[in-house]
């Protein structure tokens, strides 16, 4: 799984950031799912801490160079799963992304290697209260393809989500 972001420095000097990955999934035998950073573009991993008990990992990423105020840079972090995932009985999966900060644009794209899903749907909203669930909002049917995407602009505490199924919905 690859997370790509564009960073903008609010002041001179930022040269590192923390990357955190958490998943609620477990292995077939109910053990924590383990991930590690396998590749970084735009920086390098200097330290990693595993939180196996909560299915999470954190890495300290040092950027290729310190940023100047207002400077933009791209960063891409690839998290590789090192344990086998459990098979979900309902044959569905999802990813979502939520930001509490105002940003210009949030998008989520899922690419499928091999077989395409039978169906996919997406949610996107510029504003979402802390107690509100994204899935309570209207969904959009996405055309199953090698990749699907949802996006929203002018975000102030918003979110995006894509869910898919390998079998037709009932």
């Amino acid at each position: 799984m690859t997370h790509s972001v564009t960073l903008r420095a609010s002041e001179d000097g930022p040269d590192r950031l923390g990357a955190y990955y958490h998943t609620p999934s477990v292995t077939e035998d109910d053990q924590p799912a383990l991930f590690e950073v396998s590749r970084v573009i735009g920086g390098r991993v200097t330290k990693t801490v595993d939180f196996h008990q909560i299915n999470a990992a954190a890495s300290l990423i040092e950027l290729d160079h310190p940023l100047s105020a207002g400077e933009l840079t791209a960063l891409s972090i690839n998290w590789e799963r090192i344990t086998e995932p459990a098979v979900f009985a309902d044959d569905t999966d999802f990813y979502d992304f939520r930001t509490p900060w105002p940003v210009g644009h949030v998008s989520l794209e899922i690419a499928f290697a091999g077989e395409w899903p039978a169906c996919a749907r997406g949610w996107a909203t510029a504003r979402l209260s802390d107690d509100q669930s994204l899935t309570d909002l209207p969904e959009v049917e996405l055309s199953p393809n090698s990749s699907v995407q949802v996006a929203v602009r002018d975000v102030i505490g918003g979110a995006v989500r894509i869910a898919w199924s390998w079998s037709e919905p009932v």
Side-chain angles (χ1 to χ4, degrees), residues 60 76 155 169:
L60 182 63
S76 181
V155 176

Side-chain angles (χ1 to χ4, degrees), residues 41-75:
I41 298 173
R44 65 182 181 85
V45 175
T46 60
K47 185 183 285 188
T48 298
V49 178
D50 292 314
F51 302 98
H52 300 297
Q53 67 278 14
I54 60 169
N55 292 354
S59 291
L60 182 63
I61 308 290
E62 185 176 288
L63 300 177
D64 285 343
H65 67 276
L67 302 178
S68 301
E71 182 180 357
L72 294 172
T73 191
L75 182 68

Side-chain angles (χ1 to χ4, degrees), residues 95-107:
Y95 285 115
D96 58 17
F97 177 79
R98 187 171 185 157
T99 178
W101 303 286
V103 294
H105 180 89
V106 172
S107 66

Side-chain angles (χ1 to χ4, degrees), residues 90-92 115-121 141 144 164-170:
D90 61 4
D91 202 25
T92 63
E115 184 182 349
W116 298 352
C119 62
R121 56 194 187 282
E141 288 297 321
W164 62 93
S165 174
W166 300 107
S167 57
E168 291 296 330
V170 179

Side-chain angles (χ1 to χ4, degrees), residues 5-147:
V5 295
T6 302
L7 305 170
R8 181 186 354 225
S10 59
E11 58 188 45
D12 286 336
D15 62 353
R16 63 182 177 247
L17 62 90
Y20 179 81
Y21 184 79
H22 170 266
T23 179
S25 66
V26 294
T27 62
E28 285 284 340
D29 59 353
D30 205 31
Q31 297 300 308
L34 303 177
F35 288 82
E36 66 182 7
V37 175
S38 62
R39 184 177 58 136
V40 178
I41 298 173
R44 65 182 181 85
V45 175
T46 60
K47 185 183 285 188
T48 298
V49 178
D50 292 314
F51 302 98
H52 300 297
Q53 67 278 14
I54 60 169
N55 292 354
S59 291
L60 182 63
I61 308 290
E62 185 176 288
L63 300 177
D64 285 343
H65 67 276
L67 302 178
S68 301
E71 182 180 357
L72 294 172
T73 191
L75 182 68
S76 181
I77 303 168
N78 189 62
W79 293 92
E80 186 173 326
R81 187 178 191 118
I82 56 176
T83 57
E84 289 298 318
V87 176
F88 295 102
D90 61 4
D91 202 25
T92 63
D93 207 350
F94 73 92
Y95 285 115
D96 58 17
F97 177 79
R98 187 171 185 157
T99 178
W101 303 286
V103 294
H105 180 89
V106 172
S107 66
L108 178 61
E109 181 179 12
I110 307 295
F112 301 98
E115 184 182 349
W116 298 352
C119 62
R121 56 194 187 282
W123 295 261
T125 185
R127 294 174 190 244
L128 192 65
S129 65
D130 290 342
D131 61 342
Q132 190 176 21
S133 173
L134 190 57
T135 55
D136 292 337
L137 301 176
E139 64 186 55
V140 175
E141 288 297 321
L142 304 173
S143 178
N145 207 323
S146 61
S147 68

